[in-house]
Amino acid sequence: MMLRLEKATLGKFGAQDMMSLITSGGWESILPDALDDNHLLLVSDQFRDLLSGVGCNGDHDPARAALPITLLLLSKAGAKRSGDSLEICLETLQEALCLLSTAVDREIVNRMLQRKDATPIGTGLIQGLQMLVQHAEAHADSECHA
């Protein structure tokens, strides 16, 4: 029998929930290995939607935390800030979404198989995002302006 899950029973994980986690546990509480099972599964589903373009009608959905998590972690990884805004190109954002989606799915599988990585997933994720931001800044002279 295949592994299955009824999504409707998971509830929601949105920007408000994300902010509650950060308020109580700091920004590290939104790393994949710090999220509880429900939030981890919900954010995995949200990353899949973002990466496949599902539900991209231009409206910001406050019931979804995946994009705010990505932007916050990019800022923690050193993405340039301009006032209240982050300066990142769409290509960097897309790559960050892929990195995060992979890290979240890896954490899900690790929990199911009761495995641990040598480097904690959250640590590896931040290192990967830092490399991504540094690479983007090194090529900022190109036509990467969003």
Side-chain angles (χ1 to χ4, degrees):
M1 183 163 125
M2 296 295 291
L3 297 168
R4 285 186 195 209
L5 177 70
E6 188 55 51
K7 278 197 321 187
T9 63
L10 287 175
K12 301 256 184 250
F13 184 45
Q16 289 292 125
D17 305 301
M18 182 189 98
M19 290 310 297
S20 295
L21 287 176
I22 293 168
T23 302
S24 62
W27 68 267
E28 293 92 345
S29 63
I30 59 167
L31 291 170
D33 40 355
L35 292 172
D36 68 28
D37 293 351
N38 265 16
H39 288 155
L40 192 65
L41 292 167
L42 286 164
V43 83
S44 172
D45 191 47
Q46 292 174 15
F47 279 122
R48 288 171 191 279
D49 284 351
L50 274 172
L51 288 166
S52 66
V54 171
C56 285
N57 56 4
D59 294 335
H60 173 68
D61 184 354
R64 301 173 85 61
L67 190 56
I69 286 174
T70 305
L71 296 173
L72 177 68
L73 292 180
L74 276 169
S75 77
K76 294 299 177 186
K80 279 188 186 157
R81 293 187 111 127
S82 172
D84 287 342
S85 304
L86 273 183
E87 292 181 17
I88 53 171
C89 68
L90 291 177
E91 183 181 331
T92 302
L93 180 58
Q94 176 82 13
E95 290 173 6
L97 287 168
C98 289
L99 263 178
L100 269 150
S101 180
T102 301
V104 165
D105 288 352
R106 184 174 184 86
E107 178 64 18
I108 290 169
V109 173
N110 280 356
R111 289 182 192 184
M112 291 175 70
L113 298 177
Q114 299 179 358
R115 293 182 60 142
K116 281 215 177 279
D117 290 346
T119 301
I121 285 181
T123 305
L125 173 62
I126 290 297
Q127 290 169 347
L129 289 172
Q130 286 171 336
M131 288 176 21
L132 187 62
V133 167
Q134 289 163 3
H135 177 77
E137 287 175 0
H139 297 296
D141 296 336
S142 69
E143 43 195 285
C144 187
H145 300 290

